[in-house]
Amino acid sequence: MLFGILLLTGCVLDEGRASSGNVVADGDYLPVLPKTPAGWPSIHWPADNPFTPAKAILGRRLFFDKILSRDRSVSCGSCHLPTEGFADPGAALSLGVHGRFAKRNSPTLTNVAFGTSFMSEGGVPTLELQAISPIVSENEMDMTAAEIETRLSIDTLYLRLFRQAYGEGPITFSGVTKALATYERTLLSMNSPYDRWQAGESDALSPSAKRGAAIFLGEKGDCWHCHAPPLFTDRDFHNTGLDFVLTDLGRALVTGRTSDEGSFKTPTLRNIGVTGPYMHDGRFTTLRQVVEHYNAGGKPHPNVSALIRPMGLTDGELNDLVNFLEALTDSTFLTAPRP
Ligand code: HEC
Ligand code: HEC
């Protein structure tokens, strides 16, 4: 068992008997305090927003509810789909309200609990603060905090779920962002074929994926320096030589430093087989295109990391690398009970 015991503060009650302090399970969704295996970093639960099942239940409802967008056409889950590893499978840029597009490709929310900064340039320090931005962005949900509070305060389901999560009192926007962040911190993925292979199950990876692992985790590919296991990210920023002429300054938007121009946060590669298209702008549709980019060594931008250099991998080795990346897909995570 990867997950700990149920931490329901009360027993599971039927709707009619719900009261503050007691948690009603939502369908077959019973949120549990996520536990991580040995060797993983610990999850930082903010002092003012510790895990509770009631907040996770509320957060999940909000995450998949189009009520958070002006024309009720999109939810968080429209751009972050569970079956796609909480990323958007569609076009490079995701569709928001009024037929407008988000400015970047929707990233996966896999293991976002371990994040130390959010967005590709890393300008947002917490998930609570991050949740504000899609809601108020005119290209994504186009709402205001006050409008969200008004909408939710006339909805009997939310009146009940907020009371369970926070007790008596008015529905607040901060209660919305805390609940969303709580739910997001439960989206843990750590049961891929790669993990089973690491745990000693030698058949969990195909021979090709094992050869790919040797490239990825060895000096030949050097991928692990930035995509460091077990998270498959160093949570840092690098220029991978995607462009010589930049259209997105990336990390430099936050730091203002020329040396950070064209650097982006290293994304996790967990569930990478289903989270395409790839890179901050979704320019690559297949993993094969991504590994070909690395194999070529990238464009000669002055900030390109020294780790990005022509690798001279053969066609077969590129296939092996792709097969290894596919082995980071956690089917239990993608099919876990959700709405
Ligand atoms: C219209 C599509 C769209 C909607 C709706 C949307 N997102 Fe996103 N989300 C994105 C895009 C695009 C990014 C990447 C932004 C960037 O890097 O600049 C993103 C980034 C994020 C991140 C940062 C991930 C990371 O690793 O840095 C989180 C967390 C997140 N979204 C959660 C949410 C939540 C919660 C909601 C609902 C309140 C939501 N999103 C609604 C498209 C969307
Ligand atoms: C110098 C650090 C670094 C090295 C080395 C590196 N990567 Fe990356 N990788 C990144 C960064 C940063 C991004 C995000 C770039 C962007 O969004 O524009 C990325 C993106 C990716 C993506 C797309 C992720 C997504 O969600 O869109 C894949 C797949 C990937 N890398 C695989 C690899 C493989 C395979 C190797 C080894 C051949 C490798 N990387 C080596 C830093 C690195």
Side-chain angles (χ1 to χ4, degrees), residues 63 68 74-76 79-80 94-96 102 104-109 112 117-121 127 130-131 134-135 139-141 180 184 265:
F63 190 91
L68 295 188
V74 292
S75 68
C76 310
C79 294
H80 301 285
S94 311
L95 196 56
R104 290 190 180 135
N105 179 244
S106 303
T108 179
L109 302 186
V112 83
S117 68
F118 302 95
M119 310 309 236
S120 281
E121 66 271 61
L127 286 172
Q130 194 288 327
I135 297 176
N139 288 343
E140 298 185 25
M141 301 172 117
L180 284 167
E184 291 175 279
K265 192 175 63 177

Side-chain angles (χ1 to χ4, degrees), residues 115-118 122-130 185:
T116 43
S117 68
F118 302 95
V124 183
T126 66
L127 286 172
E128 284 77 2
L129 287 172
Q130 194 288 327
R185 288 193 183 95

Side-chain angles (χ1 to χ4, degrees), residues 88-93 105-106 240-243 267 272-299 308 325:
D88 188 341
L93 303 181
N105 179 244
S106 303
T240 58
L242 287 170
D243 294 303
I272 195 72
V274 299
T275 59
Y278 303 108
M279 304 307 188
H280 65 276
D281 53 3
R283 68 178 63 196
F284 297 131
T285 48
T286 64
L287 286 173
R288 176 74 190 201
Q289 290 169 328
V290 177
V291 297
E292 280 171 0
H293 154 72
Y294 282 110
N295 197 33
K299 308 267 176 16
I308 308 293
L325 294 173

Side-chain angles (χ1 to χ4, degrees), residues 140-280:
E140 298 185 25
M141 301 172 117
D142 193 28
M143 285 292 276
T144 64
E147 286 166 323
I148 295 277
E149 288 169 356
T150 308
R151 265 195 197 176
L152 297 178
S153 299
I154 52 169
D155 186 307
T156 49
L157 172 71
Y158 283 113
L159 286 167
R160 175 168 68 76
L161 293 177
F162 271 84
R163 200 164 48 242
Q164 278 181 194
Y166 302 110
E168 298 301 329
I171 286 181
T172 64
F173 188 59
S174 126
V176 172
T177 56
K178 283 181 172 170
L180 284 167
T182 303
Y183 173 62
E184 291 175 279
R185 288 193 183 95
T186 67
L187 302 177
L188 299 193
S189 173
M190 42 194 57
N191 191 23
S192 65
Y194 162 81
D195 296 291
R196 294 199 290 280
W197 177 62
Q198 282 288 298
E201 199 183 306
S202 77
D203 294 346
L205 294 192
S206 69
S208 167
K210 282 179 194 162
R211 291 193 297 273
I215 297 169
F216 189 97
L217 301 167
E219 293 308 311
K220 203 163 190 178
D222 266 341
C223 314
W224 62 274
H225 281 287
C226 303
H227 299 285
L231 298 180
F232 286 85
T233 168
D234 58 359
R235 301 180 279 188
D236 208 341
F237 302 84
H238 305 276
N239 182 317
T240 58
L242 287 170
D243 294 303
F244 185 64
V245 178
L246 302 174
T247 51
D248 188 333
L249 292 181
R251 182 65 175 158
L253 296 169
V254 175
T255 65
R257 287 197 295 258
T258 320
S259 57
D260 286 332
E261 288 180 0
S263 285
F264 295 90
K265 192 175 63 177
T266 312
T268 179
L269 299 184
R270 286 186 173 272
N271 299 311
I272 195 72
V274 299
T275 59
Y278 303 108
M279 304 307 188
H280 65 276

Side-chain angles (χ1 to χ4, degrees), residues 59-125:
R60 186 186 73 142
R61 274 280 153 199
L62 289 166
F63 190 91
F64 294 102
D65 199 337
K66 295 177 176 170
I67 198 169
L68 295 188
S69 65
R70 168 144 332 263
D71 57 5
R72 297 177 196 259
S73 64
V74 292
S75 68
C76 310
S78 310
C79 294
H80 301 285
L81 278 79
T83 50
E84 315 294 329
F86 286 82
D88 188 341
L93 303 181
S94 311
L95 196 56
V97 289
H98 318 304
R100 295 177 190 150
F101 289 93
K103 294 202 174 74
R104 290 190 180 135
N105 179 244
S106 303
T108 179
L109 302 186
T110 299
N111 295 343
V112 83
F114 301 101
T116 43
S117 68
F118 302 95
M119 310 309 236
S120 281
E121 66 271 61
V124 183

